[in-house]
Amino acid sequence: MTEATIKLVGLRKAFGKNQVLRGVDLDLAPGQVTVLMGANGAGKSTLVKVLCGVHAADAGTVTLAGVAFAPASPSAALRAGVVTVHQNINDGVVPDLDVASNLLLDHLADGAGAFLNDRKMRARAREIAAAVGLEVDVARPVAGLALADRQLVSIARAMAQEPQLLILDEPTSSLSATEAERLFALIERLRAQGVAILYISHRMSDIRRLADRIVSMRDGAISGRFEGQPLDYSGAVRAMLGHEITEVDITIPTPGAPVLEARGLVLRPGARPFDLTAPQNEVIAITGLVGSGKTALAEVLFGLAQPTAGSLRLDDAPYTPRTATEAVAAGVFLCPKDRLINAVVADFDITRNLTLPFLRRHSRAHFLRRASENATATRMVGEMGVVCQSPADGILTLSGGNQQKVMVARWMAEASRLLILDEPFQGVDIQARRDICAKIRATAQTRATIVFVAELDEALEVADRILVLSEHSIVGAHRNENIDVAAIMAEVVDAAPETTRELA
Ligand SMILES: Nc1ncnc2c1ncn2[C@@H]1O[C@H](COP(=O)(O)OP(=O)(O)OP(=O)(O)O)[C@@H](O)[C@H]1O
Ligand SMILES: [Mg+2]
């Protein structure tokens, strides 16, 4: 038997009265990918933060290669060979520093970098970047990078440490398929080198691709261990939920009158014009690769960008929003993707994060009525199943998936004519995704709904109709009945150059 690289026994951690880790026992072996599955709020990120020196455990022990391990800080954990890629990407990079400094941060912090001049530092940074396939100018500040590149910087920085244990907390939730593939290749290389890997994800495709073994976590304790091929994926899901997963009922309703009508829309010079009608009482999913124009279309509909050509009508009147404020005033709401960059206000509590766009409705004579805000927050927290102690808690005390539920709830709290959700399932667990789908569908008769998703599985789960976007134009439309998945996949990948990036 190989010696366990890392052994956790009886780990406990509470935040105030909230007992989050309730005695976690876990072994991680070298050269093995252990996938940790658990519902939003189960305690996965908290466990990660104990292992990497962000939080101290209240009780329990960790041994690393037979030696007691209780890192007092993240840099102590790094020095011991425990490398972490966090769920919150800003935990892994310093946005104001350039890429090279970020990649060499740990050397610089050790004092070892003091002897490197700028030229040598950049050359070393380029080597580190190349090792993970990161292609950016290392002199650029990290703050100016796209999210996926920022995340690769934090991964590349971690790789520079030659880990014994590599922990990745939902690393692919905002990567494109190509970028995720690059990361998987890296993980496989490190596994072959004997690194123990703890991989956290809600994406079944990642899990199937990487798992040597699955450990399920429920309410702060390990609730199931699954080894031996083929892995029992449905058993692992059952163990993390404590019940069978519920399916969403996709009974396709009869669409109502058109709410949004786009005619001859050209999203960028040279793109093919297309028409789009979003009727009342229909949920439309729009799918396509990164760079196919999903974000560009969402921005045009929400007044953040102007189309090259074409016209928009809303409820049979011209609709020409020049700003997001005008769009919201017309009843068009957009829940953007990448919540930490675009949506979460870190300083605000859960309630204010929920009511933010509609503060005027909670005011009387210029005075904000907290009671009115509280009523909305309590209602939405209940309806969306946000796991929290109190809506008055800071938004960042929520688990990642629960923050995402708040962001979606924000735009569902008030009546709209057209609700646009851009990647609403980022970081939500498999059951919560079903719940959010059910909620979107149950309220769909009051408006038109457009959901942008990169994953076809998600489109099939939420939509009445699926549209495929390629090269900034709609190339296919399918009613979600007896659907030909292969035909959709062909439209999705057809002629889409692999390297194009999503428009900012
Ligand atoms: N800094 C904190 N202060 C207070 N409570 C916290 C803090 N961090 C986490 N919690 C709470 O601990 C619990 C577990 O959160 P954690 O982030 O570990 O969940 P998770 O399993 O990673 O979920 P997700 O899949 O949504 O990322 C939640 O109830 C959360 O609100
Ligand atoms: Mg988490």
Side-chain angles (χ1 to χ4, degrees), residues 349-363:
D349 62 7
I350 298 167
T351 299
R352 186 56 56 80
N353 264 285
L354 270 164
T355 55
L356 192 60
F358 306 106
L359 285 180
R360 226 187 257 167
R361 284 181 212 176
H362 297 288
S363 310

Side-chain angles (χ1 to χ4, degrees), residues 6-7 39 109 121 131 153 229 271 274 303 335 340 357 422 476-477 479 501:
I6 192 154
K7 194 174 177 68
M121 203 174 121
V153 168
Q229 302 293 336
F274 63 91
C335 177
L340 288 167
D422 196 357
R479 246 172 92 85
R501 306 304 290 284

Side-chain angles (χ1 to χ4, degrees), residues 39-41 43-46 49 87 169-170 200 202 398-401 427:
N40 296 136
K44 304 178 299 297
S45 296
T46 303
K49 287 177 183 165
Q87 180 172 20
D169 193 355
E170 291 187 48
I200 298 174
H202 294 295
L398 291 183
S399 78

